[in-house]
Amino acid sequence: MLAYVVRRLLLIPLTLLGIIGVNFLFVQLAPGGPIEQVLARLEGQTTDATARISGTGAAETARAVPRAAGAADASSKYRGAQGLDPAFIADLERQMGFDKPPLTRFLMMVKSYAAFDLGSSYFRDRRVVDLILDKLPVSASLGIWSTLIIYLVSIPLGIRKAVKDGSRFDVASSWAVIVGHAVPGFLFAILLIIVFAGGRYLDWFPLRGLTSDDWADLSWPARVADYAWHMALPVTALSIGGFAGLTMLTKNAFLEEINKQYVLTARAKGLPERRVLYGHVFRNAMLVVIAGFPAALIGMLFTGSVLIEVIFSLDGIGLLGFEAAMNRDYPVMFGTLYAFSLLGLVLSLVSDLTYHAVDPRIDFGSREL
């Protein structure tokens, strides 16, 4: 097993290189770019998304640069650059690294990432690592708590449905989780706001933020309560659609194991039903469920919370990545992609190790990668 872990660790850099390389190529083919964003700000043609970004980087430099008559030809490769001093355009390219060929820029980026240097944002005048660390608590709170709630509810519910297969409880609970899965999370979030956050009926929960303004002055019990109060609606909205898949997966895994010979033998020996389920069936049935935990966590952390963060005014990583893509903030785009890909690969390895811990008969070290 140790040899397998070493091989997987050695494959992580190659996988990251492939992920970053493919996305870097796609970005080169996409229209527009950060220089166009700066020029749009200079011309007063920014979109609402760009207008929200403030900083003292290249965009601030752009405001101070005078126009130069007759410079349209020298700067015509950028949309909106007509009439600007070519020296300014060249300086802007140098600041952002676009004075170098794409391959050189890619190799420089890979070298920096190897040292875990993710660079600095073009428009926020901050290091990408600092931005990620600032936004991480929000997305981590949403992702971790939503995933835990989904697992804590879905696994017992799936086991109960397997035991009561075909009963009224099984049918009713299936309808409930399927309806929850069919309703998009952002629509459910809006419904929660209307009903519980002062939208029309009740005003029980806050509408925005992770904590209250006076959170630092509260006692520790009050801080925990305030945090839970703010997270209740976003976590509920993010969790509601995740019950169906895991519940049905757990049910089907248990049904498959319940009908096997070793379960019939255990029951014939007179073992209590609870011991049969949780002492014998659970260990085998949970393998497929455990395998999906890293993917579920990654999905909740980085892909499922963008709209929830926007609706509840939570400034997390999902919103950071969305705004970076809209504004062509390449350091933030690639920095977050690198960090999340690395985390996903590590969690995938953790999933395999968990497989082995649950059932030592599963030995990934005996197979070829």
Side-chain angles (χ1 to χ4, degrees), residues 37 47-53 121 123-124 128 131-132 135 139 301-311 314-337 340:
Q37 293 290 324
T47 61
D48 291 340
T50 305
R52 291 199 301 269
I53 304 297
S121 169
F123 302 104
R124 296 174 183 258
V128 175
L131 287 172
I132 293 176
K135 312 299 183 183
S139 296
L301 279 174
F302 309 127
T303 62
S305 61
V306 177
L307 291 176
I308 301 298
E309 290 178 8
V310 173
I311 292 172
L314 298 172
D315 192 9
I317 291 178
L319 187 59
L320 173 67
F322 174 76
E323 291 185 340
M326 294 296 294
N327 291 282
R328 304 299 195 270
D329 197 345
Y330 292 164
V332 177
M333 289 172 56
F334 287 110
T336 53
L337 175 65
F340 302 160

mmCIF file of all heavy atoms in Angstrom, residues 37 47-53 121 123-124 128 131-132 135 139 301-311 314-337 340:
data_model
loop_
_atom_site.group_PDB
_atom_site.id
_atom_site.type_symbol
_atom_site.label_atom_id
_atom_site.label_comp_id
_atom_site.label_asym_id
_atom_site.label_seq_id
_atom_site.Cartn_x
_atom_site.Cartn_y
_atom_site.Cartn_z
ATOM 1 N N GLN A 37 -9.874 44.776 -20.229
ATOM 2 C CA GLN A 37 -10.635 45.202 -19.060
ATOM 3 C C GLN A 37 -10.125 46.541 -18.535
ATOM 4 O O GLN A 37 -10.917 47.420 -18.169
ATOM 5 C CB GLN A 37 -10.534 44.129 -17.959
ATOM 6 C CG GLN A 37 -11.216 42.821 -18.283
ATOM 7 C CD GLN A 37 -12.719 42.940 -18.291
ATOM 8 O OE1 GLN A 37 -13.292 43.686 -17.496
ATOM 9 N NE2 GLN A 37 -13.360 42.232 -19.196
ATOM 10 N N THR A 47 -18.335 46.841 -17.269
ATOM 11 C CA THR A 47 -19.574 46.184 -16.871
ATOM 12 C C THR A 47 -19.762 46.345 -15.373
ATOM 13 O O THR A 47 -18.871 46.785 -14.653
ATOM 14 C CB THR A 47 -19.521 44.688 -17.213
ATOM 15 O OG1 THR A 47 -18.444 44.110 -16.490
ATOM 16 C CG2 THR A 47 -19.303 44.478 -18.694
ATOM 17 N N ASP A 48 -20.953 45.988 -14.899
ATOM 18 C CA ASP A 48 -21.216 46.074 -13.465
ATOM 19 C C ASP A 48 -20.256 45.209 -12.677
ATOM 20 O O ASP A 48 -19.817 45.574 -11.591
ATOM 21 C CB ASP A 48 -22.656 45.635 -13.159
ATOM 22 C CG ASP A 48 -23.656 46.629 -13.698
ATOM 23 O OD1 ASP A 48 -23.256 47.788 -13.941
ATOM 24 O OD2 ASP A 48 -24.825 46.244 -13.896
ATOM 25 N N ALA A 49 -19.917 44.025 -13.209
ATOM 26 C CA ALA A 49 -19.017 43.123 -12.485
ATOM 27 C C ALA A 49 -17.647 43.752 -12.336
ATOM 28 O O ALA A 49 -17.024 43.663 -11.282
ATOM 29 C CB ALA A 49 -18.905 41.784 -13.218
ATOM 30 N N THR A 50 -17.135 44.407 -13.407
ATOM 31 C CA THR A 50 -15.818 45.014 -13.335
ATOM 32 C C THR A 50 -15.841 46.224 -12.419
ATOM 33 O O THR A 50 -14.882 46.494 -11.694
ATOM 34 C CB THR A 50 -15.347 45.441 -14.745
ATOM 35 O OG1 THR A 50 -15.402 44.307 -15.589
ATOM 36 C CG2 THR A 50 -13.940 45.988 -14.710
ATOM 37 N N ALA A 51 -16.944 46.967 -12.431
ATOM 38 C CA ALA A 51 -17.019 48.181 -11.633
ATOM 39 C C ALA A 51 -16.933 47.895 -10.154
ATOM 40 O O ALA A 51 -16.518 48.752 -9.375
ATOM 41 C CB ALA A 51 -18.323 48.926 -11.941
ATOM 42 N N ARG A 52 -17.304 46.671 -9.735
ATOM 43 C CA ARG A 52 -17.233 46.356 -8.310
ATOM 44 C C ARG A 52 -15.813 46.089 -7.850
ATOM 45 O O ARG A 52 -15.540 46.089 -6.653
ATOM 46 C CB ARG A 52 -18.091 45.121 -8.005
ATOM 47 C CG ARG A 52 -19.569 45.362 -8.143
ATOM 48 C CD ARG A 52 -20.323 44.282 -7.383
ATOM 49 N NE ARG A 52 -19.996 42.979 -7.884
ATOM 50 C CZ ARG A 52 -20.663 42.369 -8.841
ATOM 51 N NH1 ARG A 52 -21.689 42.951 -9.411
ATOM 52 N NH2 ARG A 52 -20.313 41.158 -9.236
ATOM 53 N N ILE A 53 -14.913 45.814 -8.782
ATOM 54 C CA ILE A 53 -13.544 45.490 -8.415
ATOM 55 C C ILE A 53 -12.759 46.779 -8.228
ATOM 56 O O ILE A 53 -12.689 47.614 -9.099
ATOM 57 C CB ILE A 53 -12.861 44.643 -9.501
ATOM 58 C CG1 ILE A 53 -13.688 43.399 -9.747
ATOM 59 C CG2 ILE A 53 -11.454 44.283 -9.111
ATOM 60 C CD1 ILE A 53 -13.814 42.489 -8.567
ATOM 61 N N SER A 121 -3.262 39.447 -7.845
ATOM 62 C CA SER A 121 -4.397 39.801 -8.685
ATOM 63 C C SER A 121 -4.081 41.034 -9.521
ATOM 64 O O SER A 121 -3.391 41.953 -9.073
ATOM 65 C CB SER A 121 -5.626 40.060 -7.801
ATOM 66 O OG SER A 121 -6.671 40.640 -8.545
ATOM 67 N N PHE A 123 -6.369 43.215 -10.524
ATOM 68 C CA PHE A 123 -7.278 44.306 -10.230
ATOM 69 C C PHE A 123 -7.499 44.568 -8.745
ATOM 70 O O PHE A 123 -8.064 45.602 -8.384
ATOM 71 C CB PHE A 123 -8.643 44.045 -10.893
ATOM 72 C CG PHE A 123 -8.555 43.877 -12.380
ATOM 73 C CD1 PHE A 123 -8.654 42.626 -12.965
ATOM 74 C CD2 PHE A 123 -8.347 44.967 -13.195
ATOM 75 C CE1 PHE A 123 -8.566 42.470 -14.335
ATOM 76 C CE2 PHE A 123 -8.255 44.823 -14.568
ATOM 77 C CZ PHE A 123 -8.369 43.572 -15.139
ATOM 78 N N ARG A 124 -7.105 43.663 -7.891
ATOM 79 C CA ARG A 124 -7.317 43.845 -6.456
ATOM 80 C C ARG A 124 -6.052 44.251 -5.715
ATOM 81 O O ARG A 124 -6.105 44.531 -4.528
ATOM 82 C CB ARG A 124 -7.884 42.556 -5.835
ATOM 83 C CG ARG A 124 -9.265 42.183 -6.354
ATOM 84 C CD ARG A 124 -9.691 40.834 -5.800
ATOM 85 N NE ARG A 124 -10.965 40.402 -6.319
ATOM 86 C CZ ARG A 124 -12.123 40.482 -5.656
ATOM 87 N NH1 ARG A 124 -12.142 41.001 -4.447
ATOM 88 N NH2 ARG A 124 -13.245 40.068 -6.195
ATOM 89 N N VAL A 128 -2.824 36.369 -4.480
ATOM 90 C CA VAL A 128 -3.904 35.407 -4.661
ATOM 91 C C VAL A 128 -4.071 34.534 -3.425
ATOM 92 O O VAL A 128 -5.194 34.223 -3.013
ATOM 93 C CB VAL A 128 -3.641 34.540 -5.910
ATOM 94 C CG1 VAL A 128 -4.703 33.452 -6.045
ATOM 95 C CG2 VAL A 128 -3.604 35.406 -7.160
ATOM 96 N N LEU A 131 -6.112 36.381 -0.937
ATOM 97 C CA LEU A 131 -7.522 36.421 -1.323
ATOM 98 C C LEU A 131 -8.209 35.098 -1.013
ATOM 99 O O LEU A 131 -9.326 35.073 -0.483
ATOM 100 C CB LEU A 131 -7.641 36.731 -2.816
ATOM 101 C CG LEU A 131 -7.346 38.167 -3.255
ATOM 102 C CD1 LEU A 131 -7.326 38.254 -4.772
ATOM 103 C CD2 LEU A 131 -8.374 39.125 -2.687
ATOM 104 N N ILE A 132 -7.548 33.989 -1.338
ATOM 105 C CA ILE A 132 -8.136 32.670 -1.073
ATOM 106 C C ILE A 132 -8.330 32.460 0.423
ATOM 107 O O ILE A 132 -9.379 31.981 0.869
ATOM 108 C CB ILE A 132 -7.258 31.563 -1.678
ATOM 109 C CG1 ILE A 132 -7.281 31.635 -3.199
ATOM 110 C CG2 ILE A 132 -7.724 30.184 -1.220
ATOM 111 C CD1 ILE A 132 -6.369 30.640 -3.882
ATOM 112 N N LYS A 135 -11.333 34.420 1.676
ATOM 113 C CA LYS A 135 -12.642 33.924 1.251
ATOM 114 C C LYS A 135 -12.915 32.502 1.725
ATOM 115 O O LYS A 135 -14.076 32.066 1.745
ATOM 116 C CB LYS A 135 -12.748 33.949 -0.283
ATOM 117 C CG LYS A 135 -12.309 35.238 -0.936
ATOM 118 C CD LYS A 135 -13.137 36.415 -0.504
ATOM 119 C CE LYS A 135 -12.699 37.674 -1.250
ATOM 120 N NZ LYS A 135 -13.439 38.877 -0.816
ATOM 121 N N SER A 139 -16.697 29.786 2.179
ATOM 122 C CA SER A 139 -16.969 28.596 1.368
ATOM 123 C C SER A 139 -16.762 27.308 2.156
ATOM 124 O O SER A 139 -17.500 26.334 1.970
ATOM 125 C CB SER A 139 -16.067 28.602 0.124
ATOM 126 O OG SER A 139 -16.368 29.698 -0.710
ATOM 127 N N LEU A 301 -17.827 22.702 -1.801
ATOM 128 C CA LEU A 301 -16.905 23.798 -1.494
ATOM 129 C C LEU A 301 -16.763 24.774 -2.653
ATOM 130 O O LEU A 301 -16.775 25.992 -2.448
ATOM 131 C CB LEU A 301 -15.526 23.234 -1.132
ATOM 132 C CG LEU A 301 -15.325 22.721 0.282
ATOM 133 C CD1 LEU A 301 -13.956 22.061 0.410
ATOM 134 C CD2 LEU A 301 -15.456 23.830 1.309
ATOM 135 N N PHE A 302 -16.644 24.264 -3.865
ATOM 136 C CA PHE A 302 -16.148 25.103 -4.944
ATOM 137 C C PHE A 302 -17.064 25.235 -6.151
ATOM 138 O O PHE A 302 -16.784 26.040 -7.028
ATOM 139 C CB PHE A 302 -14.795 24.572 -5.424
ATOM 140 C CG PHE A 302 -13.824 24.367 -4.304
ATOM 141 C CD1 PHE A 302 -13.195 23.149 -4.142
ATOM 142 C CD2 PHE A 302 -13.560 25.372 -3.398
ATOM 143 C CE1 PHE A 302 -12.304 22.947 -3.102
ATOM 144 C CE2 PHE A 302 -12.673 25.178 -2.358
ATOM 145 C CZ PHE A 302 -12.042 23.967 -2.203
ATOM 146 N N THR A 303 -18.115 24.447 -6.231
ATOM 147 C CA THR A 303 -18.968 24.562 -7.408
ATOM 148 C C THR A 303 -20.428 24.786 -7.079
ATOM 149 O O THR A 303 -21.158 25.310 -7.918
ATOM 150 C CB THR A 303 -18.863 23.301 -8.280
ATOM 151 O OG1 THR A 303 -19.318 22.153 -7.533
ATOM 152 C CG2 THR A 303 -17.427 23.051 -8.706
ATOM 153 N N GLY A 304 -20.859 24.400 -5.896
ATOM 154 C CA GLY A 304 -22.286 24.464 -5.612
ATOM 155 C C GLY A 304 -22.744 25.692 -4.862
ATOM 156 O O GLY A 304 -23.931 25.834 -4.586
ATOM 157 N N SER A 305 -21.829 26.598 -4.523
ATOM 158 C CA SER A 305 -22.206 27.667 -3.619
ATOM 159 C C SER A 305 -22.157 29.054 -4.238
ATOM 160 O O SER A 305 -22.362 30.035 -3.525
ATOM 161 C CB SER A 305 -21.288 27.646 -2.395
ATOM 162 O OG SER A 305 -19.940 27.852 -2.764
ATOM 163 N N VAL A 306 -21.896 29.182 -5.547
ATOM 164 C CA VAL A 306 -21.759 30.514 -6.138
ATOM 165 C C VAL A 306 -23.047 31.312 -5.993
ATOM 166 O O VAL A 306 -23.056 32.434 -5.468
ATOM 167 C CB VAL A 306 -21.349 30.409 -7.622
ATOM 168 C CG1 VAL A 306 -21.289 31.797 -8.245
ATOM 169 C CG2 VAL A 306 -20.001 29.729 -7.746
ATOM 170 N N LEU A 307 -24.174 30.734 -6.459
ATOM 171 C CA LEU A 307 -25.444 31.447 -6.379
ATOM 172 C C LEU A 307 -25.885 31.638 -4.933
ATOM 173 O O LEU A 307 -26.479 32.671 -4.597
ATOM 174 C CB LEU A 307 -26.515 30.688 -7.168
ATOM 175 C CG LEU A 307 -26.326 30.675 -8.692
ATOM 176 C CD1 LEU A 307 -27.386 29.813 -9.348
ATOM 177 C CD2 LEU A 307 -26.369 32.084 -9.242
ATOM 178 N N ILE A 308 -25.621 30.650 -4.091
ATOM 179 C CA ILE A 308 -25.982 30.790 -2.676
ATOM 180 C C ILE A 308 -25.201 31.940 -2.046
ATOM 181 O O ILE A 308 -25.756 32.736 -1.276
ATOM 182 C CB ILE A 308 -25.708 29.469 -1.914
ATOM 183 C CG1 ILE A 308 -26.516 28.325 -2.525
ATOM 184 C CG2 ILE A 308 -26.034 29.635 -0.431
ATOM 185 C CD1 ILE A 308 -28.004 28.520 -2.455
ATOM 186 N N GLU A 309 -23.917 32.052 -2.376
ATOM 187 C CA GLU A 309 -23.113 33.148 -1.854
ATOM 188 C C GLU A 309 -23.638 34.495 -2.330
ATOM 189 O O GLU A 309 -23.661 35.474 -1.575
ATOM 190 C CB GLU A 309 -21.653 32.974 -2.276
ATOM 191 C CG GLU A 309 -20.954 31.811 -1.581
ATOM 192 C CD GLU A 309 -19.523 31.637 -2.056
ATOM 193 O OE1 GLU A 309 -19.041 32.516 -2.804
ATOM 194 O OE2 GLU A 309 -18.891 30.631 -1.704
ATOM 195 N N VAL A 310 -24.063 34.571 -3.580
ATOM 196 C CA VAL A 310 -24.596 35.826 -4.106
ATOM 197 C C VAL A 310 -25.909 36.184 -3.425
ATOM 198 O O VAL A 310 -26.112 37.328 -2.995
ATOM 199 C CB VAL A 310 -24.793 35.713 -5.634
ATOM 200 C CG1 VAL A 310 -25.509 36.948 -6.180
ATOM 201 C CG2 VAL A 310 -23.454 35.559 -6.335
ATOM 202 N N ILE A 311 -26.813 35.223 -3.310
ATOM 203 C CA ILE A 311 -28.139 35.492 -2.743
ATOM 204 C C ILE A 311 -28.048 35.929 -1.291
ATOM 205 O O ILE A 311 -28.750 36.868 -0.866
ATOM 206 C CB ILE A 311 -29.031 34.242 -2.871
ATOM 207 C CG1 ILE A 311 -29.352 33.985 -4.352
ATOM 208 C CG2 ILE A 311 -30.318 34.398 -2.069
ATOM 209 C CD1 ILE A 311 -30.072 32.684 -4.609
ATOM 210 N N LEU A 314 -22.695 36.436 0.755
ATOM 211 C CA LEU A 314 -21.553 35.791 1.399
ATOM 212 C C LEU A 314 -20.365 35.861 0.440
ATOM 213 O O LEU A 314 -20.407 35.294 -0.645
ATOM 214 C CB LEU A 314 -21.882 34.335 1.738
ATOM 215 C CG LEU A 314 -23.037 34.125 2.713
ATOM 216 C CD1 LEU A 314 -23.384 32.651 2.824
ATOM 217 C CD2 LEU A 314 -22.694 34.686 4.084
ATOM 218 N N ASP A 315 -19.320 36.545 0.856
ATOM 219 C CA ASP A 315 -18.167 36.786 -0.015
ATOM 220 C C ASP A 315 -17.201 35.615 0.110
ATOM 221 O O ASP A 315 -16.228 35.658 0.867
ATOM 222 C CB ASP A 315 -17.489 38.100 0.381
ATOM 223 C CG ASP A 315 -16.475 38.552 -0.653
ATOM 224 O OD1 ASP A 315 -16.447 37.936 -1.736
ATOM 225 O OD2 ASP A 315 -15.720 39.497 -0.384
ATOM 226 N N GLY A 316 -17.458 34.543 -0.671
ATOM 227 C CA GLY A 316 -16.651 33.337 -0.577
ATOM 228 C C GLY A 316 -15.851 33.069 -1.837
ATOM 229 O O GLY A 316 -15.765 33.895 -2.753
ATOM 230 N N ILE A 317 -15.261 31.887 -1.910
ATOM 231 C CA ILE A 317 -14.392 31.527 -3.026
ATOM 232 C C ILE A 317 -15.192 31.385 -4.316
ATOM 233 O O ILE A 317 -14.699 31.714 -5.405
ATOM 234 C CB ILE A 317 -13.646 30.225 -2.700
ATOM 235 C CG1 ILE A 317 -12.623 30.477 -1.590
ATOM 236 C CG2 ILE A 317 -12.940 29.668 -3.924
ATOM 237 C CD1 ILE A 317 -11.874 29.256 -1.159
ATOM 238 N N GLY A 318 -16.414 30.885 -4.233
ATOM 239 C CA GLY A 318 -17.227 30.753 -5.432
ATOM 240 C C GLY A 318 -17.436 32.086 -6.123
ATOM 241 O O GLY A 318 -17.276 32.215 -7.338
ATOM 242 N N LEU A 319 -17.783 33.102 -5.348
ATOM 243 C CA LEU A 319 -17.971 34.435 -5.902
ATOM 244 C C LEU A 319 -16.657 35.013 -6.394
ATOM 245 O O LEU A 319 -16.610 35.702 -7.417
ATOM 246 C CB LEU A 319 -18.590 35.347 -4.839
ATOM 247 C CG LEU A 319 -19.010 36.750 -5.295
ATOM 248 C CD1 LEU A 319 -20.029 36.666 -6.425
ATOM 249 C CD2 LEU A 319 -19.570 37.544 -4.125
ATOM 250 N N LEU A 320 -15.567 34.734 -5.682
ATOM 251 C CA LEU A 320 -14.243 35.205 -6.107
ATOM 252 C C LEU A 320 -13.882 34.628 -7.474
ATOM 253 O O LEU A 320 -13.423 35.355 -8.372
ATOM 254 C CB LEU A 320 -13.194 34.809 -5.070
ATOM 255 C CG LEU A 320 -11.730 35.087 -5.449
ATOM 256 C CD1 LEU A 320 -11.478 36.588 -5.516
ATOM 257 C CD2 LEU A 320 -10.789 34.432 -4.439
ATOM 258 N N GLY A 321 -14.076 33.337 -7.655
ATOM 259 C CA GLY A 321 -13.753 32.710 -8.930
ATOM 260 C C GLY A 321 -14.638 33.202 -10.058
ATOM 261 O O GLY A 321 -14.168 33.412 -11.187
ATOM 262 N N PHE A 322 -15.905 33.425 -9.777
ATOM 263 C CA PHE A 322 -16.825 33.922 -10.795
ATOM 264 C C PHE A 322 -16.427 35.323 -11.254
ATOM 265 O O PHE A 322 -16.371 35.608 -12.457
ATOM 266 C CB PHE A 322 -18.250 33.934 -10.230
ATOM 267 C CG PHE A 322 -19.260 34.560 -11.145
ATOM 268 C CD1 PHE A 322 -19.729 33.879 -12.255
ATOM 269 C CD2 PHE A 322 -19.750 35.834 -10.888
ATOM 270 C CE1 PHE A 322 -20.657 34.455 -13.098
ATOM 271 C CE2 PHE A 322 -20.677 36.420 -11.726
ATOM 272 C CZ PHE A 322 -21.138 35.730 -12.830
ATOM 273 N N GLU A 323 -16.142 36.199 -10.308
ATOM 274 C CA GLU A 323 -15.742 37.553 -10.668
ATOM 275 C C GLU A 323 -14.390 37.561 -11.381
ATOM 276 O O GLU A 323 -14.174 38.367 -12.301
ATOM 277 C CB GLU A 323 -15.696 38.441 -9.426
ATOM 278 C CG GLU A 323 -17.063 38.728 -8.825
ATOM 279 C CD GLU A 323 -16.992 39.695 -7.673
ATOM 280 O OE1 GLU A 323 -15.890 39.852 -7.096
ATOM 281 O OE2 GLU A 323 -18.028 40.293 -7.334
ATOM 282 N N ALA A 324 -13.484 36.676 -10.990
ATOM 283 C CA ALA A 324 -12.184 36.601 -11.658
ATOM 284 C C ALA A 324 -12.362 36.177 -13.110
ATOM 285 O O ALA A 324 -11.691 36.709 -14.012
ATOM 286 C CB ALA A 324 -11.275 35.625 -10.927
ATOM 287 N N ALA A 325 -13.245 35.222 -13.369
ATOM 288 C CA ALA A 325 -13.490 34.799 -14.747
ATOM 289 C C ALA A 325 -14.140 35.904 -15.562
ATOM 290 O O ALA A 325 -13.782 36.119 -16.727
ATOM 291 C CB ALA A 325 -14.372 33.547 -14.752
ATOM 292 N N MET A 326 -15.074 36.619 -14.979
ATOM 293 C CA MET A 326 -15.749 37.692 -15.696
ATOM 294 C C MET A 326 -14.799 38.833 -16.030
ATOM 295 O O MET A 326 -14.934 39.488 -17.062
ATOM 296 C CB MET A 326 -16.919 38.216 -14.862
ATOM 297 C CG MET A 326 -18.047 37.218 -14.664
ATOM 298 S SD MET A 326 -18.855 36.759 -16.221
ATOM 299 C CE MET A 326 -19.599 38.314 -16.671
ATOM 300 N N ASN A 327 -13.830 39.078 -15.149
ATOM 301 C CA ASN A 327 -12.922 40.208 -15.316
ATOM 302 C C ASN A 327 -11.570 39.805 -15.889
ATOM 303 O O ASN A 327 -10.670 40.631 -15.954
ATOM 304 C CB ASN A 327 -12.727 40.908 -13.973
ATOM 305 C CG ASN A 327 -13.975 41.620 -13.502
ATOM 306 O OD1 ASN A 327 -14.303 42.694 -13.964
ATOM 307 N ND2 ASN A 327 -14.685 41.002 -12.566
ATOM 308 N N ARG A 328 -11.433 38.521 -16.301
ATOM 309 C CA ARG A 328 -10.179 38.025 -16.871
ATOM 310 C C ARG A 328 -9.010 38.274 -15.928
ATOM 311 O O ARG A 328 -7.924 38.653 -16.365
ATOM 312 C CB ARG A 328 -9.900 38.683 -18.229
ATOM 313 C CG ARG A 328 -10.997 38.539 -19.254
ATOM 314 C CD ARG A 328 -11.278 37.069 -19.590
ATOM 315 N NE ARG A 328 -12.073 36.947 -20.797
ATOM 316 C CZ ARG A 328 -13.407 36.927 -20.828
ATOM 317 N NH1 ARG A 328 -14.073 37.018 -19.679
ATOM 318 N NH2 ARG A 328 -14.057 36.804 -21.965
ATOM 319 N N ASP A 329 -9.246 38.064 -14.650
ATOM 320 C CA ASP A 329 -8.168 38.200 -13.660
ATOM 321 C C ASP A 329 -7.426 36.869 -13.617
ATOM 322 O O ASP A 329 -7.663 36.019 -12.756
ATOM 323 C CB ASP A 329 -8.756 38.556 -12.293
ATOM 324 C CG ASP A 329 -7.717 39.102 -11.333
ATOM 325 O OD1 ASP A 329 -6.508 38.939 -11.619
ATOM 326 O OD2 ASP A 329 -8.093 39.698 -10.311
ATOM 327 N N TYR A 330 -6.501 36.682 -14.555
ATOM 328 C CA TYR A 330 -5.870 35.387 -14.763
ATOM 329 C C TYR A 330 -5.145 34.842 -13.525
ATOM 330 O O TYR A 330 -5.224 33.644 -13.258
ATOM 331 C CB TYR A 330 -4.908 35.459 -15.944
ATOM 332 C CG TYR A 330 -5.593 35.640 -17.276
ATOM 333 C CD1 TYR A 330 -4.883 36.056 -18.400
ATOM 334 C CD2 TYR A 330 -6.951 35.384 -17.421
ATOM 335 C CE1 TYR A 330 -5.511 36.218 -19.631
ATOM 336 C CE2 TYR A 330 -7.586 35.550 -18.638
ATOM 337 C CZ TYR A 330 -6.863 35.966 -19.738
ATOM 338 O OH TYR A 330 -7.492 36.119 -20.944
ATOM 339 N N PRO A 331 -4.399 35.645 -12.773
ATOM 340 C CA PRO A 331 -3.745 35.075 -11.579
ATOM 341 C C PRO A 331 -4.732 34.456 -10.592
ATOM 342 O O PRO A 331 -4.465 33.400 -10.014
ATOM 343 C CB PRO A 331 -3.018 36.284 -10.976
ATOM 344 C CG PRO A 331 -2.770 37.188 -12.129
ATOM 345 C CD PRO A 331 -3.969 37.036 -13.016
ATOM 346 N N VAL A 332 -5.877 35.101 -10.406
ATOM 347 C CA VAL A 332 -6.883 34.548 -9.493
ATOM 348 C C VAL A 332 -7.510 33.309 -10.094
ATOM 349 O O VAL A 332 -7.726 32.300 -9.404
ATOM 350 C CB VAL A 332 -7.956 35.608 -9.175
ATOM 351 C CG1 VAL A 332 -9.048 35.014 -8.286
ATOM 352 C CG2 VAL A 332 -7.329 36.813 -8.488
ATOM 353 N N MET A 333 -7.814 33.349 -11.392
ATOM 354 C CA MET A 333 -8.412 32.182 -12.057
ATOM 355 C C MET A 333 -7.525 30.957 -11.930
ATOM 356 O O MET A 333 -7.955 29.889 -11.481
ATOM 357 C CB MET A 333 -8.661 32.505 -13.530
ATOM 358 C CG MET A 333 -9.769 33.488 -13.812
ATOM 359 S SD MET A 333 -9.832 33.981 -15.559
ATOM 360 C CE MET A 333 -9.997 32.390 -16.368
ATOM 361 N N PHE A 334 -6.262 31.096 -12.333
ATOM 362 C CA PHE A 334 -5.371 29.945 -12.338
ATOM 363 C C PHE A 334 -4.906 29.586 -10.923
ATOM 364 O O PHE A 334 -4.641 28.421 -10.639
ATOM 365 C CB PHE A 334 -4.178 30.216 -13.245
ATOM 366 C CG PHE A 334 -4.501 30.175 -14.697
ATOM 367 C CD1 PHE A 334 -4.497 31.327 -15.459
ATOM 368 C CD2 PHE A 334 -4.840 28.979 -15.311
ATOM 369 C CE1 PHE A 334 -4.815 31.290 -16.810
ATOM 370 C CE2 PHE A 334 -5.155 28.931 -16.664
ATOM 371 C CZ PHE A 334 -5.142 30.100 -17.407
ATOM 372 N N GLY A 335 -4.781 30.571 -10.062
ATOM 373 C CA GLY A 335 -4.380 30.284 -8.686
ATOM 374 C C GLY A 335 -5.425 29.460 -7.950
ATOM 375 O O GLY A 335 -5.098 28.471 -7.274
ATOM 376 N N THR A 336 -6.703 29.839 -8.098
ATOM 377 C CA THR A 336 -7.764 29.060 -7.453
ATOM 378 C C THR A 336 -7.909 27.685 -8.104
ATOM 379 O O THR A 336 -8.153 26.690 -7.417
ATOM 380 C CB THR A 336 -9.097 29.822 -7.523
ATOM 381 O OG1 THR A 336 -9.359 30.199 -8.889
ATOM 382 C CG2 THR A 336 -9.050 31.077 -6.673
ATOM 383 N N LEU A 337 -7.748 27.632 -9.431
ATOM 384 C CA LEU A 337 -7.808 26.335 -10.119
ATOM 385 C C LEU A 337 -6.710 25.408 -9.616
ATOM 386 O O LEU A 337 -6.952 24.212 -9.359
ATOM 387 C CB LEU A 337 -7.674 26.547 -11.625
ATOM 388 C CG LEU A 337 -7.592 25.281 -12.485
ATOM 389 C CD1 LEU A 337 -8.897 24.499 -12.412
ATOM 390 C CD2 LEU A 337 -7.247 25.624 -13.932
ATOM 391 N N PHE A 340 -7.516 24.294 -5.909
ATOM 392 C CA PHE A 340 -8.640 23.374 -5.791
ATOM 393 C C PHE A 340 -8.325 22.029 -6.425
ATOM 394 O O PHE A 340 -8.751 20.982 -5.930
ATOM 395 C CB PHE A 340 -9.883 23.979 -6.437
ATOM 396 C CG PHE A 340 -10.296 25.296 -5.846
ATOM 397 C CD1 PHE A 340 -11.106 26.166 -6.542
ATOM 398 C CD2 PHE A 340 -9.856 25.682 -4.587
ATOM 399 C CE1 PHE A 340 -11.480 27.380 -6.010
ATOM 400 C CE2 PHE A 340 -10.223 26.886 -4.046
ATOM 401 C CZ PHE A 340 -11.033 27.741 -4.758
#
